[in-house]
Amino acid sequence: MALHHPQRRFSAALALAAVASISLYASACATSTSSSSAGAAGAPAPALNITMSPVAPSPDPRVGLRAGTTAKVPADTTKRMMATRAAEAEWNMHLVKNVEANGPFLGVTHSDLAFRGNYVIQGNYDGYEIFDISNPRAPKSIKQIVCRGSQSDVSVYGNLIFVSGEATSGRLDCGLGGVPDSVSKDRFRGVRIYDATDIKNPKYIQSVQTCRGSHTHTVVEDPNDKANVYIYISGSSAVRSPTELAGCSDMDPSLDPNSERFKIEIVQVPLANPMAAKVITKAPILAELTRAPQNTARTASDNADRAATMAARGGGAGGRAGAPAGAAAAAGRGGRGAVPNNAGPVQCHDITVYPAVGLAGGACGGYGLLLDISDVKNPKRVFAAADSNMSFWHSATFTNDGSKMLFSDEWGGGSAPRCRSTDHYEWGSDALFTVDGKKSLTFKSYYKMPAAQTNLENCVAHNGSLVPIPGRDIMVQSWYQGGVSIFDWTDPSHPKEIAYQDRGPIDGAVQGNGGTWSVYWYNGYMYSSEIARGLDVFELQPSAYISQNEIDAAKSVKFDYLNVQGQQKLVWPASFSLSRSYVDQLERSKGYAPEKLASIRADLSAAEKLSGQARKDFLAKMATGLHTDARGSSDAPKAHTLASSVGDLAKL
Amino acid sequence: MIANLRHGAPLGLAVLLFAACAPATRGGSGTGQAPAPAVRTVNDADVEFMSGMIPHHAQAVLIAGWAESHGARRDVLVFCQRIVVGQRDEIGLMQRWLAERGLDVPAADATTHKMKMGDMIHEMIMPGMLNAEQLAELDKSRGSDFDRLLLKAMIGHHLGAIEMVNKLQASAGSGNDDIVYRFSSDVYADQSTEVERMTKILATIPEK
């Protein structure tokens, strides 16, 4: 049962053709050898470089990387802790900087990331750290706040910083000494609020205690309520005693309607007085989830896979092994047998909200939920997907238009090596769905980082974000010690890896704990929180899959702040890079003949050399012509998008 | 993410160094003034949990491993395969944790938990585990009889694990070790999710 991605079979056959840029090096990790341009205006538009191979390097250089840590290690530690650097492999992306873990956070798990202006905030099980990223190639640590209480999931809103605390060792006074008593007024589990008006010196202003603490949290902006911001609290730990925090109940809801079970806590933060933040309601989004809807498409897919597996067994071919069990098993047909009324997950692991489309994705135990959040204080479940291959639904990501969704499965919780050649492709992967009419989800396929990892490397699907390539759905995602994987899921039935970076195991002798917790695109670069090795900064490199124009267009999308679990709509300002991106995409899709593409590129270059009214007139005329041409394109929607983008350029 | 396993830095060493400290209640300022290293003391409840869960997991791996030879239905088989992989990895995690602290390490196929009481060693089974008679009954069954017995047994087995987590987390002074806290939280989250899944599969197995 091999973890074989179909593309690996192709790449084996075409190994000699692989000329894509790939670097494999063993030491320099902090060098900054820029190869990407900033898209110099006026330069001739580069044609899509067809000499770049669309075939991934083979054999996959991520397999068998030498172990090592980049962290500074005291001289008197054991031999295994030698300060060696792991070998690294990267393809179509480049590590521009690693800032090693240091001070009180050395040896303590780094967790999630949030962004505000020129700052990135990195959580750590013992607190959080703020970096100045005015120069993304040289992040500068400006503050370490020591305040224990994993996981320290971090978010921002305005001048506020929110930090999750779940561990029973968390203290109200931020002390590191733990809490000796099983019931204690000193214990803190919930969300801590900091006033970071002075980001160099955030002030701890409020602790919102919650019944099961906060494993993760999601800041939700209510378009209809500008006076407050809301926080959905997710947990994965047990409910605490009512003697520690009044009102907490873990009883069956039929016995105690105020039970914490099947609910998420919602915190309201008054922006004029954030110290008054409190839990205002507990939304029963998991109530009466006894029966997940039957997914006929999924069942059909299961059957097809099953047939394929049987065929593969007979023919001895590799390929995608491990046929999924029927969806019916996970979905549950109800019927006979004792399905208790209170079946279903009692809590959620993480929720991603997308206020622009009024939806949220809840990753809750054995289910992926689609939630209607048009009433922020009263989220409602509209659909629940179950999948027999998904062990623990971990997090969700919407595509920019909200028409597709990805749920990750953190099988084994992130501490287990689930990317070995023996682990099923479908297990510990991403499940991709279409969102149909904001009402239901239809399963399309799985995606899993395809390079086999060792049993020394914890590896499973984890956090990621969209990469704002216009007109496509590109995702960058963390796979712990499986590294960073970038893939295209524009076609959710055929996701494809297009870039990656990976290091060898953190420890060459026993299974260690390291790797990337989360990697997010923010204003032109990708920032990765490395559990043991600190903060990494990556940039995309042009390839057969992503052109320089597309990278430049992606870099034109700017956010003032970013919490990835609070998705913001990506909006691309009109630019020559944007229009050229669509030309490049039409070349890839063969939407226009090569001569036509050349003439459009020449026209765009000619327009760029003009200025003032002459440029506007030229572009307006060009846009009109392109709309007419689009009707004859085999990729008419993209051709119209190109025409409209040129029209927008004319209005600049 | 869960367990804070070993990093590049010697977490295990840190635990040993600070194991002797009383759980200090020094007030952190939360403003990053040079703090003392975190106290991550390990107590008897932590050790009891990490060693007692090994035979508990071992039995789950054993009986789930019978699925193929005992003619389990495909969905039950796939579910069992995942338990075998998942819990075998977790046994490794517990063994490493115990070994790094110089504690007794139960075998990966231990069938009982050895508890020291004075000079005596009591061999006991952990909550939810099957006794010898129940094991034999399950081993004799085939097809849908196996599916039904296995699921019922495994649901009880998982509830036993959850009981062990609850006992641990209710014990004074436990869970200061990040690995134990995160691992036990994971067992809680994973196994309660699986109980739910098994309950649903069970509802589709024909009654005898």
Side-chain angles (χ1 to χ4, degrees):
Chain A
M1 308 284 245
L3 185 154
H4 276 149
H5 192 275
Q7 91 183 50
R8 290 181 68 190
R9 278 177 287 149
F10 292 119
S11 53
L14 296 169
L16 292 175
V19 294
S21 74
I22 164 84
S23 58
L24 174 59
Y25 51 98
S27 57
C29 72
T31 51
S32 162
T33 51
S34 166
S35 61
S36 161
S37 84
L48 192 60
N49 189 347
I50 53 165
T51 63
M52 291 184 187
S53 171
V55 178
S58 179
D60 194 313
R62 288 171 289 186
V63 178
L65 289 169
R66 197 194 65 219
T69 170
T70 58
K72 288 177 190 129
V73 181
D76 59 350
T77 49
T78 57
K79 237 179 6 185
R80 201 166 60 229
M81 297 299 178
M82 286 186 307
T84 53
R85 283 184 169 167
E88 302 176 18
E90 56 185 34
W91 180 55
N92 298 339
M93 61 186 289
H94 181 60
L95 174 69
V96 296
K97 185 69 182 175
N98 165 261
V99 183
E100 294 183 347
N102 66 89
F105 298 153
L106 177 60
V108 186
T109 296
H110 288 100
S111 59
D112 213 358
L113 301 170
F115 304 86
R116 169 183 140 189
N118 286 327
Y119 302 96
V120 56
I121 299 154
Q122 181 179 30
N124 178 281
Y125 276 14
D126 277 356
Y128 65 95
E129 184 160 5
I130 302 172
F131 294 89
D132 183 333
I133 49 167
S134 304
N135 177 2
R137 295 170 173 279
K140 213 170 79 188
S141 173
I142 59 164
K143 190 73 181 174
Q144 288 183 322
I145 306 272
V146 175
C147 188
R148 186 179 181 189
S150 63
Q151 313 184 115
S152 301
D153 192 18
V154 285
S155 292
V156 297
Y157 188 80
N159 290 324
L160 303 174
I161 294 176
F162 305 102
V163 186
S164 277
E166 183 179 47
T168 48
S169 57
R171 297 182 58 89
L172 267 174
D173 62 10
C174 283
L176 295 170
V179 182
D181 301 321
S182 55
V183 170
S184 170
K185 294 297 173 199
D186 296 329
R187 178 170 286 122
F188 171 76
R189 303 178 72 200
V191 171
R192 303 186 200 264
I193 305 179
Y194 292 80
D195 180 340
T197 304
D198 174 7
I199 195 143
K200 292 187 172 68
N201 193 23
K203 302 253 184 308
Y204 186 11
I205 58 166
Q206 179 60 301
S207 319
V208 181
Q209 296 262 19
T210 64
C211 287
R212 56 168 78 92
S214 169
H215 190 69
T216 66
H217 70 266
T218 307
V219 171
V220 196
E221 296 168 45
D222 185 345
N224 305 314
D225 179 1
K226 297 294 181 196
N228 299 290
V229 69
Y230 295 86
I231 305 176
Y232 291 172
I233 307 282
S234 297
S236 63
S237 191
V239 175
R240 57 173 144 177
S241 158
T243 52
E244 182 167 285
L245 185 62
C248 295
S249 163
D250 194 29
M251 293 173 76
D252 189 296
S254 63
L255 303 172
D256 179 359
N258 296 318
S259 168
E260 202 64 21
R261 289 171 167 247
F262 311 105
K263 293 172 187 159
I264 57 165
E265 289 157 311
I266 300 180
V267 172
Q268 183 184 55
V269 184
L271 294 172
N273 180 21
M275 291 175 79
K278 61 174 190 294
V279 176
I280 52 156
T281 182
K282 297 179 183 183
I285 60 170
L286 296 163
E288 292 161 10
L289 188 58
T290 55
R291 222 182 128 189
Q294 182 73 30
N295 182 334
T296 48
R298 186 53 228 289
T299 307
S301 150
D302 284 351
N303 291 337
D305 274 12
R306 198 171 297 130
T309 302
M310 298 311 281
R313 277 184 184 157
R320 185 167 142 161
R333 291 201 179 92
R336 291 183 315 109
V339 179
N341 290 329
N342 59 349
V346 297
Q347 56 195 351
C348 293
H349 178 275
D350 205 353
I351 296 172
T352 293
V353 296
Y354 194 2
V357 295
L359 292 174
C364 309
Y367 289 88
L369 307 186
L370 187 64
L371 303 169
D372 178 343
I373 56 159
S374 44
D375 179 356
V376 168
K377 292 191 282 292
N378 187 22
K380 288 195 173 57
R381 182 178 81 237
V382 293
F383 191 82
D387 186 311
S388 51
N389 280 317
M390 298 285 277
S391 170
F392 187 73
W393 298 61
H394 175 273
S395 54
T397 305
F398 288 91
T399 54
N400 195 46
D401 66 0
S403 70
K404 284 166 255 172
M405 244 182 128
L406 172 155
F407 280 103
S408 61
D409 174 12
E410 196 191 28
W411 178 39
S415 59
R418 293 291 153 76
C419 305
R420 297 162 293 196
S421 59
T422 50
D423 290 317
H424 295 198
Y425 186 81
E426 296 83 357
W427 291 359
S429 65
D430 300 322
L432 311 181
F433 296 84
T434 52
V435 181
D436 309 314
K438 295 193 177 186
K439 286 198 163 31
S440 63
L441 300 171
T442 303
F443 171 81
K444 292 297 174 184
S445 69
Y446 300 105
Y447 175 76
K448 188 172 185 177
M449 185 284 299
Q453 302 286 298
T454 64
N455 60 7
L456 301 173
E457 293 162 286
N458 51 310
C459 178
V460 75
H462 211 230
N463 294 355
S465 78
L466 297 180
V467 177
I469 304 294
R472 300 169 65 189
D473 300 311
I474 307 290
M475 176 100 178
V476 58
Q477 188 178 20
S478 288
W479 293 80
Y480 290 109
Q481 290 205 62
V484 172
S485 178
I486 301 182
F487 58 98
D488 184 333
W489 56 304
T490 310
D491 173 357
S493 298
H494 301 95
K496 182 172 176 52
E497 185 175 53
I498 57 175
Y500 57 71
Q501 194 267 356
D502 185 25
R503 291 185 174 101
I506 194 95
D507 189 318
V510 298
Q511 189 213 306
N513 183 43
T516 169
W517 176 289
S518 47
V519 58
Y520 302 137
W521 176 281
Y522 181 68
N523 293 349
Y525 289 81
M526 293 167 287
Y527 297 84
S528 163
S529 178
E530 223 289 358
I531 288 171
R533 293 161 171 138
L535 183 73
D536 287 321
V537 187
F538 298 103
E539 67 180 359
L540 275 177
Q541 294 193 311
S543 68
Y545 299 106
I546 297 183
S547 68
Q548 185 64 52
N549 292 319
E550 290 175 304
I551 294 172
D552 294 340
K555 288 188 172 187
S556 74
V557 176
K558 299 283 185 202
F559 286 138
D560 295 331
Y561 67 96
L562 178 65
N563 302 312
V564 168
Q565 284 72 36
Q567 263 186 258
Q568 299 178 52
K569 193 109 186 161
L570 303 170
V571 179
W572 291 266
S575 71
F576 282 94
S577 300
L578 178 64
S579 295
R580 286 177 178 133
S581 297
Y582 295 132
V583 179
D584 292 346
Q585 291 169 15
L586 281 160
E587 179 174 345
R588 254 185 235 115
S589 70
K590 299 187 170 59
Y592 279 134
E595 312 78 58
K596 177 68 184 165
L597 292 164
S599 111
I600 297 171
R601 285 182 173 126
D603 284 350
L604 284 170
S605 293
E608 202 168 19
K609 291 193 183 85
L610 299 171
S611 59
Q613 195 58 40
R615 180 194 272 195
K616 289 182 183 187
D617 293 345
F618 185 97
L619 287 166
K621 197 174 153 199
M622 188 180 166
T624 308
L626 284 171
H627 273 300
T628 309
D629 296 341
R631 289 176 214 140
S633 167
S634 60
D635 187 358
K638 186 72 76 186
H640 279 294
T641 303
L642 166 64
S644 299
S645 76
V646 173
D648 291 341
L649 265 179
K651 291 172 201 147
L652 283 183
Chain B
M1 173 60 196
I2 27 174
N4 186 349
L5 299 182
R6 54 183 318 114
H7 283 172
L11 188 59
L13 192 61
V15 171
L16 295 177
L17 286 175
F18 296 107
C21 304
T25 52
R26 51 178 302 285
S29 62
T31 55
Q33 295 163 9
V39 173
R40 305 186 200 277
T41 46
V42 170
N43 73 3
D44 289 349
D46 295 320
V47 176
E48 175 74 12
F49 178 81
M50 295 298 266
S51 48
M53 195 59 91
I54 290 177
H56 195 271
H57 270 40
Q59 189 180 73
V61 169
L62 172 75
I63 62 177
W66 289 343
E68 187 149 16
S69 56
H70 290 50
R73 199 171 73 183
R74 170 147 201 97
D75 51 352
V76 178
L77 173 65
V78 171
F79 184 82
C80 283
Q81 287 172 335
R82 191 151 49 195
I83 285 185
V84 169
V85 177
Q87 298 210 9
R88 203 161 47 197
D89 286 343
E90 289 178 351
I91 289 172
L93 180 152
M94 291 182 276
Q95 288 181 318
R96 282 195 302 278
W97 186 89
L98 291 163
E100 282 165 9
R101 286 154 186 79
L103 301 162
D104 291 340
V105 182
D109 59 353
T111 54
T112 57
H113 177 48
K114 295 185 172 60
M115 256 194 101
K116 277 186 194 149
M117 298 214 174
D119 294 337
M120 301 281 283
I121 292 179
H122 294 274
E123 297 207 8
M124 53 186 282
I125 61 173
M126 303 305 292
M129 283 176 72
L130 280 65
N131 62 27
E133 200 179 320
Q134 292 166 319
L135 271 176
E137 188 193 0
L138 179 62
D139 197 7
K140 265 187 263 164
S141 66
R142 292 294 182 275
S144 60
D145 285 345
F146 174 81
D147 292 341
R148 189 181 333 101
L149 282 175
L150 183 279
L151 289 168
K152 284 180 175 169
M154 196 65 88
I155 288 169
H157 198 269
H158 275 40
L159 292 174
I162 291 164
E163 184 185 327
M164 289 167 69
V165 173
N166 287 337
K167 186 181 166 202
L168 169 75
Q169 297 198 345
S171 307
S174 69
N176 270 317
D177 177 272
D178 284 336
I179 299 178
V180 176
Y181 173 71
R182 295 304 324 158
F183 172 62
S184 62
S185 295
D186 266 2
V187 167
Y188 177 89
D190 287 351
Q191 300 212 11
S192 50
T193 301
E194 287 176 356
V195 165
E196 170 218 334
R197 180 162 291 144
M198 286 188 284
T199 305
K200 286 183 173 137
I201 300 176
L202 182 60
T204 68
I205 307 282
E207 285 292 340
K208 195 160 189 159

